[in-house]
Amino acid sequence: MTESSEGGPEIHFYNTLGRRRERLRPRVPGRVGVYTCGPTVYAASHIGNLRTFVFEDLLRRALELRGLEVTQVMNLTDVDDKTIRDAKETGKSLAEVTDPWVDAFFRDLDRLHVQRAHEYPRATDHVPEMIALVERLIERGHAYEREGSVFFRIASDEDYGKLSGIDLEGVQQGERVASDEYGKDDARDFVLWKAAKEGEPSWESPWGEGRPGWHIECSAMSMRYLGESFDIHCGGVDNIFPHHDNEIAQSESATGETFVATWLHAEHLIVDGQKMSKSLGNLYTLDDLLERGVDLRAVRYLFLSVHYRQKLNFTFEALDGAVAALRRLDEMRFRLDHAREGEGGPRLAKAAAVLRRDFRAALADDLNTSAALAAVHGFVRKVNVAIEKVELGRGDKEAVTSALADADSVLGVLDPAAWDAGGDTAGDGLDDDAVEELVRQRQAARESREFAEADRLRDELVEAGIVLEDTPQGPRWKRR
Ligand code: AMP
Ligand code: ZN
């Protein structure tokens, strides 16, 4: 029996939990629940964050190619030290500080052709679920309250650290990590609920006013949308410890069940061989790249060309390589458009079938995108030879186009028209008045905090080829 409804090679992933390659076995046959740790919305995403988000998009699309029904949930961390700091400094509410960054995040996803997850829960909308989870942990003896804060008792969890394999013996007893964590029984214990500080946003709780810790957000929101046990949880490698070890400790101690079967982690993106940092001047956002005239389609291609478990060294030479690879693909499309099919049946049907087979096999092998792209380029070479030798048979153009579209449902990078500035969807049927009206409705939805509706209206505009920008003076739009 295979795990997908479609058949084909069995899907294997390298599971960080246990550090081994394993066959994917969805809990419910044909369906996969995926939770992906999302951004902290206090600044623009950098290209490292976006590498991880593109990897998660690839994962979801690769599962869907195999006929699996995926539910993807990504949280938006809109309450933490940084968002609170910015709210305090500007005298704004948390929502006023984070809303523009949520919009910027969605704009970045659109610009890299990342498909929307099914849910984007915000931490501030799920505080009751977090409080309930903390209460459950206290009841079961895994957590304790001290001076209005609640901590997870690591000594109560035999398996603690099983994801990272960390040796906690090295952490000194009695060491106090941060002043707001004063009062812990053990230095290794981590905070679930933080007592409110003067002038900071807070929520009512059984332990007084306070706010949730970061780790409990992800446990509460993933279980709320995907159930207490689900299939896949992802993030970047920096999330493994302590964030994901803590999520496992909280969730499994509360439920007594396995929290997540498969843990996938993307390696980091580095720039010119170095860790990105503001002080080195090598930290890029998509706006920085656009200012330099970079083609974002090449950025997506570059991201896909390196296996997710390898470090991705971002350089402008590597981007040039991606541009050249895309040019080869586009030239083939152009030649194919202008080629004529001769008499006789299709001659490329077999090559197209080989592409479909090899592409699926590559992705089923822990998302081996370099092999998947090699299959695409091998196919393109065969098509070029056939065009040069005037060997196209009847139906070949359609066979080639549909084989490439099949691969592109996962890669999202092969079709130049989809990325074209003046692409075929630009301005589709919406005159200026209609655009103005949709922009106005979206603004009204945002003001009344109906974010799902605001997102839907934004999607409608994006689909019609409208580029929306939220500025301090209000929204501005133009046609792509
Ligand atoms: P953050 O907004 O810092 O919580 O990060 C959002 C996501 O980006 C997380 O899954 C991180 O693991 C990931 N991430 C952070 N830095 C990098 C990097 N340099 N390369 C790849 N992923 C990263
Ligand atoms: Zn998380």
Side-chain angles (χ1 to χ4, degrees):
M1 196 190 82
T2 55
E3 56 283 306
S4 75
S5 56
E6 179 208 48
E10 285 169 354
I11 299 170
H12 289 84
F13 288 120
Y14 180 85
N15 191 349
T16 308
L17 184 62
R19 313 257 161 189
R20 57 172 182 260
R21 216 178 107 90
E22 282 170 4
R23 192 178 133 194
L24 176 72
R25 294 167 196 274
R27 286 171 50 79
V28 179
R31 293 196 184 176
V32 184
V34 180
Y35 186 83
T36 53
C37 285
T40 307
V41 279
Y42 76 102
S45 298
H46 57 58
I47 55 175
N49 304 136
L50 292 164
R51 187 233 180 154
T52 294
F53 302 145
V54 168
F55 146 66
E56 292 156 349
D57 180 52
L58 164 80
L59 167 70
R60 180 251 181 100
R61 290 168 177 251
L63 295 170
E64 287 177 344
L65 176 76
R66 298 297 305 282
L68 291 159
E69 195 182 309
V70 180
T71 305
Q72 186 193 359
V73 179
M74 180 182 269
N75 66 297
L76 301 173
T77 299
D78 60 355
V79 50
D80 81 325
D81 293 344
K82 294 177 194 118
T83 53
I84 289 175
R85 176 200 62 201
D86 291 352
K88 259 174 143 175
E89 281 176 14
T90 56
K92 291 181 178 169
S93 69
L94 263 186
E96 283 169 332
V97 166
T98 57
D99 283 353
W101 296 118
V102 172
D103 289 343
F105 166 68
F106 286 128
R107 190 171 69 226
D108 282 348
L109 296 188
D110 290 342
R111 295 197 289 199
L112 287 176
H113 291 210
V114 170
Q115 287 183 356
R116 292 292 168 94
H118 301 85
E119 301 284 350
Y120 288 100
R122 291 172 185 238
T124 52
D125 290 335
H126 294 82
V127 175
E129 288 96 317
M130 297 169 203
I131 292 175
L133 189 55
V134 175
E135 285 185 300
R136 240 166 122 181
L137 287 167
I138 294 177
E139 270 161 33
R140 295 181 71 132
H142 292 288
Y144 56 92
E145 186 257 352
R146 294 284 177 273
E147 297 165 35
S149 291
V150 182
F151 300 95
F152 184 89
R153 190 186 299 284
I154 285 198
S156 75
D157 178 15
E158 305 184 318
D159 287 345
Y160 183 83
K162 66 180 172 186
L163 185 67
S164 66
I166 187 136
D167 176 10
L168 283 177
E169 292 305 307
V171 181
Q172 276 189 5
Q173 295 274 335
E175 185 184 310
R176 299 293 176 205
V177 185
S179 59
D180 61 344
E181 301 200 357
Y182 187 82
K184 290 194 289 189
D185 286 359
D186 181 329
R188 304 169 307 172
D189 294 349
F190 62 89
V191 72
L192 299 168
W193 183 262
K194 295 187 180 194
K197 284 195 202 147
E198 188 63 32
E200 291 190 347
S202 60
W203 287 260
E204 282 270 358
S205 82
W207 319 285
E209 288 280 319
R211 64 174 166 106
W214 172 40
H215 313 300
I216 200 80
E217 289 180 11
C218 281
S219 284
M221 294 193 282
S222 60
M223 294 199 286
R224 154 83 169 70
Y225 288 93
L226 296 169
E228 295 189 344
S229 288
F230 60 93
D231 301 295
I232 301 179
H233 194 313
C234 325
V237 284
D238 57 301
N239 289 150
I240 298 173
F241 183 81
H243 186 48
H244 289 165
D245 264 327
N246 289 354
E247 278 188 47
I248 294 174
Q250 296 161 158
S251 307
E252 298 191 350
S253 299
T255 68
E257 301 289 327
T258 298
F259 176 41
V260 172
T262 306
W263 289 84
L264 305 181
H265 292 96
E267 249 300 348
H268 271 187
L269 175 147
I270 53 175
V271 173
D272 294 324
Q274 285 177 300
K275 192 176 150 101
M276 265 191 304
S277 81
K278 278 213 171 103
S279 55
L280 286 173
N282 67 355
L283 188 144
Y284 297 116
T285 63
L286 289 191
D287 282 333
D288 296 331
L289 295 183
L290 285 171
E291 264 170 38
R292 287 170 168 249
V294 165
D295 175 4
L296 297 186
R297 185 178 169 214
V299 173
R300 182 170 170 108
Y301 186 97
L302 176 62
F303 285 2
L304 293 175
S305 66
V306 178
H307 189 253
Y308 76 94
R309 285 196 294 114
Q310 284 176 357
K311 280 205 169 66
L312 191 151
N313 188 18
F314 183 91
T315 65
F316 287 93
E317 293 78 61
L319 263 184
D320 289 345
V323 169
L326 287 170
R327 194 177 304 132
R328 276 198 297 281
L329 295 165
D330 292 351
E331 280 169 3
M332 184 279 273
R333 265 180 203 274
F334 181 81
R335 278 192 225 129
L336 187 73
D337 276 350
H338 293 83
R340 214 179 278 149
E341 290 181 347
E343 292 304 310
R347 303 212 170 82
L348 286 168
K350 185 160 164 258
V354 168
L355 170 62
R356 282 176 203 265
R357 185 197 67 202
D358 291 353
F359 190 79
R360 280 164 176 68
L363 292 176
D365 177 16
D366 194 28
L367 298 174
N368 187 343
T369 42
S370 22
L373 284 170
V376 170
H377 284 286
F379 176 66
V380 166
R381 272 194 297 277
K382 288 182 202 162
V383 177
N384 277 333
V385 169
I387 295 172
E388 242 149 65
K389 290 191 175 166
V390 202
E391 272 182 2
L392 295 189
R394 208 173 297 134
D396 269 340
K397 284 176 142 189
E398 168 53 28
V400 171
T401 313
S402 87
L404 288 176
D406 176 70
D408 207 30
S409 71
V410 177
L411 301 172
V413 83
L414 303 180
D415 180 7
W419 289 78
D420 194 355
D424 51 0
T425 56
D428 240 9
L430 283 187
D431 63 20
D432 285 6
D433 286 346
V435 174
E436 289 287 351
E437 177 55 22
L438 285 175
V439 171
R440 201 193 53 70
Q441 285 177 12
R442 171 175 170 271
Q443 193 62 9
R446 289 182 64 201
E447 275 157 21
S448 46
R449 295 183 58 78
E450 290 161 22
F451 296 111
E453 175 63 3
D455 286 348
R456 192 193 64 71
L457 289 162
R458 158 171 256 285
D459 287 348
E460 201 174 312
L461 287 159
V462 168
E463 258 165 43
I466 304 301
V467 181
L468 247 190
E469 198 188 344
D470 290 300
T471 73
Q473 289 78 38
R476 274 209 308 249
W477 65 271
K478 60 180 188 223
R479 290 182 194 277
R480 247 194 277 141

